[in-house]
mmCIF file of all heavy atoms in Angstrom:
data_model
loop_
_atom_site.group_PDB
_atom_site.id
_atom_site.type_symbol
_atom_site.label_atom_id
_atom_site.label_comp_id
_atom_site.label_asym_id
_atom_site.label_seq_id
_atom_site.Cartn_x
_atom_site.Cartn_y
_atom_site.Cartn_z
ATOM 1 N N GLN A 940 11.134 14.885 -9.862
ATOM 2 C CA GLN A 940 11.384 13.553 -9.330
ATOM 3 C C GLN A 940 10.707 13.363 -7.981
ATOM 4 O O GLN A 940 10.151 12.326 -7.685
ATOM 5 C CB GLN A 940 12.892 13.307 -9.205
ATOM 6 C CG GLN A 940 13.601 13.225 -10.548
ATOM 7 C CD GLN A 940 15.098 13.101 -10.378
ATOM 8 O OE1 GLN A 940 15.582 13.130 -9.246
ATOM 9 N NE2 GLN A 940 15.816 12.971 -11.498
ATOM 10 N N GLN A 941 10.801 14.409 -7.130
ATOM 11 C CA GLN A 941 10.152 14.313 -5.828
ATOM 12 C C GLN A 941 8.650 14.150 -5.984
ATOM 13 O O GLN A 941 8.006 13.367 -5.297
ATOM 14 C CB GLN A 941 10.478 15.539 -4.986
ATOM 15 C CG GLN A 941 11.949 15.622 -4.575
ATOM 16 C CD GLN A 941 12.238 16.895 -3.807
ATOM 17 O OE1 GLN A 941 11.386 17.791 -3.750
ATOM 18 N NE2 GLN A 941 13.436 16.973 -3.232
ATOM 19 N N THR A 942 8.078 14.965 -6.929
ATOM 20 C CA THR A 942 6.630 14.866 -7.153
ATOM 21 C C THR A 942 6.240 13.491 -7.646
ATOM 22 O O THR A 942 5.263 12.890 -7.204
ATOM 23 C CB THR A 942 6.196 15.924 -8.165
ATOM 24 O OG1 THR A 942 6.597 17.210 -7.700
ATOM 25 C CG2 THR A 942 4.673 15.886 -8.369
ATOM 26 N N GLN A 943 7.055 12.936 -8.554
ATOM 27 C CA GLN A 943 6.795 11.593 -9.077
ATOM 28 C C GLN A 943 6.908 10.549 -7.975
ATOM 29 O O GLN A 943 6.115 9.634 -7.873
ATOM 30 C CB GLN A 943 7.752 11.287 -10.218
ATOM 31 C CG GLN A 943 7.499 9.919 -10.869
ATOM 32 C CD GLN A 943 8.453 9.664 -12.017
ATOM 33 O OE1 GLN A 943 9.321 10.521 -12.290
ATOM 34 N NE2 GLN A 943 8.287 8.542 -12.682
ATOM 35 N N GLY A 944 7.962 10.701 -7.105
ATOM 36 C CA GLY A 944 8.140 9.755 -5.992
ATOM 37 C C GLY A 944 6.993 9.811 -5.018
ATOM 38 O O GLY A 944 6.519 8.805 -4.524
ATOM 39 N N GLU A 945 6.530 11.051 -4.727
ATOM 40 C CA GLU A 945 5.402 11.182 -3.815
ATOM 41 C C GLU A 945 4.157 10.533 -4.398
ATOM 42 O O GLU A 945 3.364 9.905 -3.704
ATOM 43 C CB GLU A 945 5.157 12.654 -3.513
ATOM 44 C CG GLU A 945 6.266 13.295 -2.691
ATOM 45 C CD GLU A 945 6.035 14.795 -2.506
ATOM 46 O OE1 GLU A 945 5.039 15.289 -3.096
ATOM 47 O OE2 GLU A 945 6.813 15.414 -1.788
ATOM 48 N N GLY A 946 3.997 10.697 -5.742
ATOM 49 C CA GLY A 946 2.842 10.070 -6.378
ATOM 50 C C GLY A 946 2.907 8.571 -6.308
ATOM 51 O O GLY A 946 1.913 7.895 -6.065
ATOM 52 N N GLN A 947 4.107 8.001 -6.480
ATOM 53 C CA GLN A 947 4.264 6.549 -6.372
ATOM 54 C C GLN A 947 4.005 6.072 -4.958
ATOM 55 O O GLN A 947 3.394 5.034 -4.731
ATOM 56 C CB GLN A 947 5.667 6.137 -6.824
ATOM 57 C CG GLN A 947 5.904 6.339 -8.308
ATOM 58 C CD GLN A 947 7.322 6.003 -8.698
ATOM 59 O OE1 GLN A 947 8.159 5.762 -7.820
ATOM 60 N NE2 GLN A 947 7.606 5.997 -9.997
ATOM 61 N N GLN A 948 4.493 6.864 -3.968
ATOM 62 C CA GLN A 948 4.258 6.489 -2.579
ATOM 63 C C GLN A 948 2.771 6.514 -2.263
ATOM 64 O O GLN A 948 2.250 5.667 -1.560
ATOM 65 C CB GLN A 948 5.021 7.408 -1.641
ATOM 66 C CG GLN A 948 6.534 7.215 -1.707
ATOM 67 C CD GLN A 948 7.262 8.185 -0.799
ATOM 68 O OE1 GLN A 948 6.636 9.025 -0.180
ATOM 69 N NE2 GLN A 948 8.577 8.049 -0.732
ATOM 70 N N GLN A 949 2.071 7.548 -2.797
ATOM 71 C CA GLN A 949 0.641 7.616 -2.546
ATOM 72 C C GLN A 949 -0.080 6.439 -3.178
ATOM 73 O O GLN A 949 -0.980 5.851 -2.588
ATOM 74 C CB GLN A 949 0.093 8.943 -3.088
ATOM 75 C CG GLN A 949 0.587 10.163 -2.312
ATOM 76 C CD GLN A 949 0.087 11.472 -2.933
ATOM 77 O OE1 GLN A 949 -0.583 11.437 -3.958
ATOM 78 N NE2 GLN A 949 0.412 12.579 -2.294
ATOM 79 N N ASP A 950 0.336 6.086 -4.430
ATOM 80 C CA ASP A 950 -0.292 4.940 -5.078
ATOM 81 C C ASP A 950 -0.031 3.659 -4.300
ATOM 82 O O ASP A 950 -0.903 2.820 -4.136
ATOM 83 C CB ASP A 950 0.245 4.794 -6.506
ATOM 84 C CG ASP A 950 -0.182 5.965 -7.390
ATOM 85 O OD1 ASP A 950 -1.148 6.650 -6.990
ATOM 86 O OD2 ASP A 950 0.469 6.186 -8.424
ATOM 87 N N SER A 951 1.225 3.518 -3.794
ATOM 88 C CA SER A 951 1.571 2.324 -3.019
ATOM 89 C C SER A 951 0.785 2.263 -1.734
ATOM 90 O O SER A 951 0.330 1.211 -1.301
ATOM 91 C CB SER A 951 3.079 2.312 -2.726
ATOM 92 O OG SER A 951 3.410 1.228 -1.904
ATOM 93 N N THR A 952 0.602 3.456 -1.093
ATOM 94 C CA THR A 952 -0.158 3.494 0.154
ATOM 95 C C THR A 952 -1.610 3.148 -0.084
ATOM 96 O O THR A 952 -2.244 2.448 0.710
ATOM 97 C CB THR A 952 -0.030 4.886 0.798
ATOM 98 O OG1 THR A 952 1.336 5.181 0.992
ATOM 99 C CG2 THR A 952 -0.775 4.928 2.132
ATOM 100 N N GLN A 953 -2.159 3.642 -1.211
ATOM 101 C CA GLN A 953 -3.549 3.358 -1.507
ATOM 102 C C GLN A 953 -3.761 1.885 -1.850
ATOM 103 O O GLN A 953 -4.749 1.290 -1.473
ATOM 104 C CB GLN A 953 -4.015 4.250 -2.665
ATOM 105 C CG GLN A 953 -4.072 5.732 -2.286
ATOM 106 C CD GLN A 953 -4.446 6.609 -3.477
ATOM 107 O OE1 GLN A 953 -4.625 6.082 -4.575
ATOM 108 N NE2 GLN A 953 -4.548 7.919 -3.256
ATOM 109 N N SER A 954 -2.807 1.287 -2.603
ATOM 110 C CA SER A 954 -2.960 -0.118 -2.967
ATOM 111 C C SER A 954 -2.613 -1.056 -1.837
ATOM 112 O O SER A 954 -3.062 -2.191 -1.813
ATOM 113 C CB SER A 954 -2.071 -0.435 -4.180
ATOM 114 O OG SER A 954 -0.706 -0.212 -3.843
ATOM 115 N N ASN A 955 -1.799 -0.610 -0.869
ATOM 116 C CA ASN A 955 -1.397 -1.446 0.264
ATOM 117 C C ASN A 955 -1.684 -0.698 1.565
ATOM 118 O O ASN A 955 -0.777 -0.200 2.224
ATOM 119 C CB ASN A 955 0.095 -1.788 0.188
ATOM 120 C CG ASN A 955 0.431 -2.533 -1.087
ATOM 121 O OD1 ASN A 955 -0.173 -3.546 -1.386
ATOM 122 N ND2 ASN A 955 1.386 -2.004 -1.849
ATOM 123 N N PRO A 956 -2.918 -0.529 1.909
ATOM 124 C CA PRO A 956 -3.224 0.221 3.129
ATOM 125 C C PRO A 956 -2.718 -0.511 4.355
ATOM 126 O O PRO A 956 -2.687 -1.740 4.371
ATOM 127 C CB PRO A 956 -4.762 0.285 3.111
ATOM 128 C CG PRO A 956 -5.180 -0.918 2.327
ATOM 129 C CD PRO A 956 -4.115 -1.099 1.288
ATOM 130 N N PRO A 957 -2.291 0.211 5.378
ATOM 131 C CA PRO A 957 -1.810 -0.451 6.597
ATOM 132 C C PRO A 957 -2.940 -1.159 7.307
ATOM 133 O O PRO A 957 -4.108 -0.794 7.180
ATOM 134 C CB PRO A 957 -1.262 0.719 7.428
ATOM 135 C CG PRO A 957 -2.019 1.914 6.947
ATOM 136 C CD PRO A 957 -2.257 1.676 5.484
ATOM 137 N N LYS A 958 -2.608 -2.199 8.048
ATOM 138 C CA LYS A 958 -3.598 -2.931 8.812
ATOM 139 C C LYS A 958 -4.106 -2.069 9.951
ATOM 140 O O LYS A 958 -3.487 -1.095 10.348
ATOM 141 C CB LYS A 958 -2.986 -4.241 9.350
ATOM 142 C CG LYS A 958 -2.623 -5.224 8.238
ATOM 143 C CD LYS A 958 -2.088 -6.507 8.815
ATOM 144 C CE LYS A 958 -1.731 -7.495 7.721
ATOM 145 N NZ LYS A 958 -2.908 -7.882 6.935
ATOM 146 N N THR A 959 -5.231 -2.461 10.486
ATOM 147 C CA THR A 959 -5.866 -1.665 11.525
ATOM 148 C C THR A 959 -5.034 -1.596 12.786
ATOM 149 O O THR A 959 -5.187 -0.672 13.575
ATOM 150 C CB THR A 959 -7.242 -2.256 11.854
ATOM 151 O OG1 THR A 959 -7.088 -3.632 12.221
ATOM 152 C CG2 THR A 959 -8.167 -2.168 10.643
ATOM 153 N N ASP A 960 -4.165 -2.590 13.025
ATOM 154 C CA ASP A 960 -3.354 -2.562 14.226
ATOM 155 C C ASP A 960 -2.056 -1.795 14.031
ATOM 156 O O ASP A 960 -1.202 -1.791 14.916
ATOM 157 C CB ASP A 960 -3.041 -3.998 14.689
ATOM 158 C CG ASP A 960 -2.275 -4.789 13.633
ATOM 159 O OD1 ASP A 960 -2.078 -4.261 12.517
ATOM 160 O OD2 ASP A 960 -1.889 -5.926 13.926
ATOM 161 N N GLY A 961 -1.877 -1.149 12.876
ATOM 162 C CA GLY A 961 -0.684 -0.342 12.639
ATOM 163 C C GLY A 961 0.454 -1.090 11.991
ATOM 164 O O GLY A 961 1.500 -0.496 11.706
ATOM 165 N N MET A 962 0.314 -2.382 11.719
ATOM 166 C CA MET A 962 1.378 -3.162 11.091
ATOM 167 C C MET A 962 1.404 -2.867 9.598
ATOM 168 O O MET A 962 0.421 -3.099 8.908
ATOM 169 C CB MET A 962 1.163 -4.651 11.335
ATOM 170 C CG MET A 962 2.171 -5.539 10.604
ATOM 171 S SD MET A 962 3.860 -5.325 11.206
ATOM 172 C CE MET A 962 3.712 -6.115 12.820
ATOM 173 N N PRO A 963 2.512 -2.324 9.066
ATOM 174 C CA PRO A 963 2.570 -2.057 7.621
ATOM 175 C C PRO A 963 2.656 -3.341 6.826
ATOM 176 O O PRO A 963 3.111 -4.364 7.316
ATOM 177 C CB PRO A 963 3.845 -1.220 7.482
ATOM 178 C CG PRO A 963 4.699 -1.650 8.627
ATOM 179 C CD PRO A 963 3.737 -1.946 9.753
ATOM 180 N N ASN A 964 2.191 -3.269 5.570
ATOM 181 C CA ASN A 964 2.210 -4.426 4.686
ATOM 182 C C ASN A 964 2.548 -3.933 3.291
ATOM 183 O O ASN A 964 1.668 -3.499 2.540
ATOM 184 C CB ASN A 964 0.859 -5.141 4.706
ATOM 185 C CG ASN A 964 0.891 -6.465 3.959
ATOM 186 O OD1 ASN A 964 1.864 -6.762 3.274
ATOM 187 N ND2 ASN A 964 -0.172 -7.233 4.080
ATOM 188 N N ALA A 965 3.834 -3.973 2.937
ATOM 189 C CA ALA A 965 4.284 -3.430 1.662
ATOM 190 C C ALA A 965 3.821 -4.255 0.482
ATOM 191 O O ALA A 965 3.683 -3.743 -0.629
ATOM 192 C CB ALA A 965 5.812 -3.321 1.648
ATOM 193 N N LEU A 966 3.558 -5.533 0.702
ATOM 194 C CA LEU A 966 3.194 -6.413 -0.405
ATOM 195 C C LEU A 966 1.692 -6.595 -0.551
ATOM 196 O O LEU A 966 1.243 -7.276 -1.466
ATOM 197 C CB LEU A 966 3.852 -7.793 -0.217
ATOM 198 C CG LEU A 966 5.386 -7.787 -0.193
ATOM 199 C CD1 LEU A 966 5.901 -9.193 0.027
ATOM 200 C CD2 LEU A 966 5.937 -7.220 -1.492
ATOM 201 N N GLY A 967 0.933 -6.000 0.315
ATOM 202 C CA GLY A 967 -0.511 -6.140 0.229
ATOM 203 C C GLY A 967 -0.986 -7.447 0.825
ATOM 204 O O GLY A 967 -0.202 -8.303 1.238
ATOM 205 N N GLU A 968 -2.289 -7.632 0.837
ATOM 206 C CA GLU A 968 -2.871 -8.840 1.394
ATOM 207 C C GLU A 968 -2.559 -10.035 0.507
ATOM 208 O O GLU A 968 -2.616 -9.950 -0.719
ATOM 209 C CB GLU A 968 -4.392 -8.688 1.529
ATOM 210 C CG GLU A 968 -4.815 -7.640 2.538
ATOM 211 C CD GLU A 968 -4.466 -8.042 3.942
ATOM 212 O OE1 GLU A 968 -4.344 -9.253 4.177
ATOM 213 O OE2 GLU A 968 -4.314 -7.164 4.792
ATOM 214 N N VAL A 969 -2.221 -11.138 1.125
ATOM 215 C CA VAL A 969 -1.947 -12.373 0.404
ATOM 216 C C VAL A 969 -3.216 -13.209 0.381
ATOM 217 O O VAL A 969 -3.794 -13.509 1.421
ATOM 218 C CB VAL A 969 -0.802 -13.163 1.074
ATOM 219 C CG1 VAL A 969 -0.538 -14.449 0.318
ATOM 220 C CG2 VAL A 969 0.444 -12.303 1.125
ATOM 221 N N ASN A 970 -3.627 -13.571 -0.834
ATOM 222 C CA ASN A 970 -4.847 -14.368 -1.024
ATOM 223 C C ASN A 970 -6.031 -13.764 -0.267
ATOM 224 O O ASN A 970 -6.514 -14.327 0.721
ATOM 225 C CB ASN A 970 -4.635 -15.815 -0.559
ATOM 226 C CG ASN A 970 -3.581 -16.522 -1.390
ATOM 227 O OD1 ASN A 970 -3.412 -16.233 -2.571
ATOM 228 N ND2 ASN A 970 -2.878 -17.460 -0.765
ATOM 229 N N PRO A 971 -6.463 -12.567 -0.680
ATOM 230 C CA PRO A 971 -7.589 -11.940 0.023
ATOM 231 C C PRO A 971 -8.829 -12.822 -0.070
ATOM 232 O O PRO A 971 -8.982 -13.603 -1.013
ATOM 233 C CB PRO A 971 -7.789 -10.619 -0.725
ATOM 234 C CG PRO A 971 -7.212 -10.871 -2.082
ATOM 235 C CD PRO A 971 -6.066 -11.811 -1.859
ATOM 236 N N PRO A 972 -9.699 -12.743 0.922
ATOM 237 C CA PRO A 972 -10.890 -13.603 0.921
ATOM 238 C C PRO A 972 -11.780 -13.313 -0.267
ATOM 239 O O PRO A 972 -11.977 -12.160 -0.657
ATOM 240 C CB PRO A 972 -11.583 -13.255 2.244
ATOM 241 C CG PRO A 972 -11.067 -11.897 2.611
ATOM 242 C CD PRO A 972 -9.663 -11.843 2.082
ATOM 243 N N ASN A 973 -12.272 -14.362 -0.850
ATOM 244 C CA ASN A 973 -13.170 -14.260 -1.990
ATOM 245 C C ASN A 973 -14.567 -14.644 -1.534
ATOM 246 O O ASN A 973 -14.816 -15.792 -1.175
ATOM 247 C CB ASN A 973 -12.715 -15.193 -3.106
ATOM 248 C CG ASN A 973 -13.500 -14.976 -4.394
ATOM 249 O OD1 ASN A 973 -14.562 -14.373 -4.373
ATOM 250 N ND2 ASN A 973 -12.961 -15.457 -5.493
ATOM 251 N N PRO A 974 -15.493 -13.690 -1.507
ATOM 252 C CA PRO A 974 -16.843 -14.020 -1.010
ATOM 253 C C PRO A 974 -17.487 -15.157 -1.778
ATOM 254 O O PRO A 974 -18.173 -15.988 -1.202
ATOM 255 C CB PRO A 974 -17.609 -12.697 -1.206
ATOM 256 C CG PRO A 974 -16.547 -11.646 -1.252
ATOM 257 C CD PRO A 974 -15.349 -12.297 -1.881
#
């Protein structure tokens, strides 16, 4: 369970990387810019 939880946390961290100023964002970017 711990291994599975760590894997989920890693996936969440990879999909929702923290902003450069250190502010966490659990929901990810809202309406990311579309080139």
Side-chain angles (χ1 to χ4, degrees):
Q940 293 175 357
Q941 293 177 350
T942 304
Q943 183 179 2
E945 292 175 356
Q947 292 176 352
Q948 291 178 357
Q949 292 177 358
D950 294 342
S951 176
T952 304
Q953 293 176 358
S954 62
N955 300 306
K958 294 183 180 297
T959 56
D960 60 355
M962 175 66 71
N964 188 350
L966 299 179
E968 294 293 336
V969 180
N970 296 329
N973 188 343

